[in-house]
Amino acid sequence: MHLDRKTLTTMIRKPHSIIVLLFWAVAVSTVSAESPLPPESPIRPGDRIAIVGNTFADQLRIHGYLETMLLQRWPDNPVSIRNLGWGGDMLNARDRPTNFPAEEETLLAHRTDVIVGCFGMGESFAGEEGVQSFQASVDAWIKSLEGKTYNGKSQVRLVLVSPIANEPLGKLTPRHEQRDRELSAYSQAMSEVAIAAQVPFVDLYQTSRYLMDEPIGPNFTTNGIHLNSYGYWALSHYLFRGLVQDDLASPQPPWRISLDATDLTVQANGLAVSDTARTEAGLTFRATELIAPTLPPPTGEDLPPQLHHFRDSLTIANLAPGIYKLAIDDVSVVTASHDDWARGVTIDTSPAHQQAEAFRAAVNDKNLQFTYSWKALNQVHIVGERKKSPSGKALPAEVIEFNQLAQKRDAKLRDGIERQTRNWRVTRIH
């Protein structure tokens, strides 16, 4: 069912918890209630993951939000990811340059445990009359992976991810309604195949459609179908939860601290708070980071209410009237009024958040080194007239070196983000 703008706006006027529950249910849905879920989470600790598919998959490696979340999920046994996405890929049209290595070679080299397949966008341009053919292609692809043991010990697992919705951007998307019907049909077709094959399925179509209908916040895409950095930040949260849906019992981001300035009672998620004390100008406490912080969104604009749930926050009740500044380890983080603190203030520029952003940059650098080692950037040096040139002759050794760099970066990422105990100080400044 699709919610129009009027209906959604009405819902937003209801208590925020209801909205969160609605969008959480949409985000983590995989196969329907008619089919039992897999006995374990689609992605598991220590998994070696390959992401394949279209532009959506390809661009995941550039932004790094999903991979950073997955790496932080099991710091004691982190996953390892190779992104084999290729802009424009479809199940039956995955063209590669001459002499490009077969995908199976890379899957074997990575000792792949699970493949995350993102298809349906390119195929949807065949219109609704192409849905049946697409279903057959998805089914054939699933069957083609039966018995494949890229990790050398067990059959490779598979997760299917639907295409996103078509975002209405006025003149940029003149066929919006038709394209959205087509994308809905292809997403549903993929879901039906997943149910029949007992393959986990993450429905980003419905999630993205609800979010795109929201009047608050920036656009998610550049042209209706290609996500921008904000779109990848937002949808990566939902994709992450779909991929680890059966393993969400332990604490998850975001950080939540709720503190009463009168009696110093405190509730916290993601951090352990201790040594709470009043000062002449405010209060102080120590917070031990139990989990890594949530990555901040790449925008300064207001976000839709349903995305507030993905941001770290501090709430302080019963502060005396005034303006208060939060500093963490003497680093100024945010300034807000006592009323704002009572409602809850977003915390996403702390030293820990800066550390998390540096980690995401390291993820992106690893992906860049792997891309240099895997994707042909200049075919003429490989099979063309420059093959025997000095640069052409040097290319095989350079490819090996880039692969080694990627492996070294991957090993370094296993160290994760250092979780620390920091001093938080809230001081009245006006």
Side-chain angles (χ1 to χ4, degrees):
M1 178 183 68
H2 174 57
L3 300 180
D4 59 24
R5 186 181 299 271
K6 180 178 179 181
T7 303
L8 186 61
T9 302
T10 301
M11 290 179 61
I12 290 172
R13 296 194 181 104
K14 296 182 179 181
H16 179 63
S17 60
I18 296 176
I19 300 170
V20 169
L21 288 173
L22 168 65
F23 282 85
W24 185 277
V26 171
V28 302
S29 63
T30 53
V31 296
S32 75
E34 299 173 0
S35 174
L37 291 169
E40 296 184 78
S41 174
I43 301 297
R44 306 165 192 172
D47 268 347
R48 303 184 69 81
I49 304 163
I51 298 175
V52 303
N54 50 32
T55 302
F56 170 81
D58 182 33
Q59 298 278 305
L60 283 170
R61 67 178 172 82
I62 295 174
H63 298 282
Y65 291 109
L66 175 66
E67 185 165 351
T68 300
M69 293 177 200
L70 287 170
L71 283 167
Q72 293 172 177
R73 179 67 192 95
W74 300 285
D76 297 330
N77 190 14
V79 300
S80 175
I81 297 177
R82 293 292 182 267
N83 190 311
L84 311 183
W86 197 293
D89 261 9
M90 296 183 285
L91 281 168
N92 294 329
R94 304 169 73 180
D95 295 333
R96 297 293 184 268
T98 304
N99 291 342
F100 194 83
E103 184 172 275
E104 190 164 65
E105 292 181 28
T106 309
L107 296 173
L108 284 166
H110 186 51
R111 305 192 304 281
T112 304
D113 298 302
V114 57
I115 298 172
V116 178
C118 310
F119 294 99
M121 177 60 74
E123 290 90 342
S124 71
F125 285 97
E128 294 185 50
E129 60 271 23
V131 169
Q132 188 173 358
S133 175
F134 173 66
Q135 271 193 317
S137 296
V138 176
D139 184 63
W141 187 53
I142 293 173
K143 287 182 169 59
S144 73
L145 294 170
E146 292 178 358
K148 300 291 186 180
T149 55
Y150 300 122
N151 61 9
K153 56 185 180 181
S154 59
Q155 178 173 308
V156 67
R157 309 192 313 274
L158 182 61
V159 183
L160 295 177
V161 180
S162 79
I164 65 169
N166 186 268
E167 184 175 27
L169 297 179
K171 293 181 179 180
L172 286 176
T173 53
R175 298 173 55 239
H176 162 66
E177 292 185 0
Q178 178 183 343
R179 288 292 298 126
D180 211 42
R181 286 195 303 271
E182 292 164 351
L183 287 163
S184 175
Y186 279 75
S187 179
Q188 178 63 29
M190 182 181 281
S191 173
E192 291 171 1
V193 176
I195 291 171
Q198 289 294 293
V199 169
F201 171 69
V202 182
D203 187 352
L204 290 185
Y205 170 79
Q206 291 292 346
T207 301
S208 60
R209 187 170 188 180
Y210 292 140
L211 292 172
M212 290 170 181
D213 276 347
E214 169 58 59
I216 301 172
N219 294 334
F220 285 84
T221 67
T222 59
N223 60 358
I225 59 173
H226 293 149
L227 293 173
N228 55 28
S229 58
Y230 166 68
Y232 273 102
W233 174 84
L235 286 182
S236 288
H237 284 85
Y238 291 99
L239 179 52
F240 167 77
R241 279 153 178 76
L243 293 175
V244 301
Q245 60 167 329
D246 293 328
D247 191 56
L248 289 173
S250 57
Q252 285 292 299
W255 290 351
R256 287 282 186 269
I257 301 178
S258 296
L259 196 153
D260 191 309
T262 301
D263 59 17
L264 299 184
T265 56
V266 61
Q267 293 181 329
N269 177 68
L271 306 108
V273 177
S274 61
D275 301 331
T276 308
R278 297 188 193 88
T279 66
E280 290 185 5
L283 52 87
T284 63
F285 57 89
R286 289 170 64 79
T288 299
E289 297 154 6
L290 304 178
I291 56 178
T294 302
L295 293 165
T299 178
E301 294 187 43
D302 291 337
L303 301 188
Q306 57 269 28
L307 293 181
H308 292 175
H309 188 72
F310 295 131
R311 305 187 73 180
D312 300 332
S313 67
L314 169 62
T315 302
I316 308 176
N318 298 319
L319 282 171
I323 305 298
Y324 292 80
K325 179 181 73 173
L326 168 67
I328 301 178
D329 283 351
D330 296 323
V331 176
S332 180
V333 175
V334 64
T335 299
S337 71
H338 67 286
D339 286 332
D340 290 332
W341 286 113
R343 287 188 291 265
V345 174
T346 297
I347 308 298
D348 59 12
T349 60
S350 75
H353 290 85
Q354 295 172 19
Q355 190 178 5
E357 276 294 287
F359 185 82
R360 183 173 72 91
V363 167
N364 294 342
D365 180 62
K366 181 270 295 182
N367 287 331
L368 181 63
Q369 306 310 317
F370 170 69
T371 300
Y372 286 154
S373 73
W374 170 70
K375 184 178 288 189
L377 300 180
N378 193 342
Q379 187 178 1
V380 73
H381 286 88
I382 302 172
V383 297
E385 60 185 13
R386 297 183 185 175
K387 181 178 180 180
K388 295 183 179 180
S389 68
S391 56
K393 291 178 180 179
L395 188 60
E398 292 175 359
V399 166
I400 292 173
E401 186 172 348
F402 277 124
N403 189 47
Q404 292 172 344
L405 286 172
Q407 292 176 6
K408 289 178 181 178
R409 301 286 199 279
D410 206 26
K412 182 64 176 176
L413 290 172
R414 295 182 65 84
D415 295 337
I417 298 173
E418 182 183 2
R419 289 167 286 176
Q420 301 182 26
T421 299
R422 305 181 195 268
N423 297 311
W424 294 47
R425 178 180 294 273
V426 178
T427 306
R428 182 177 176 181
I429 58 176
H430 291 296

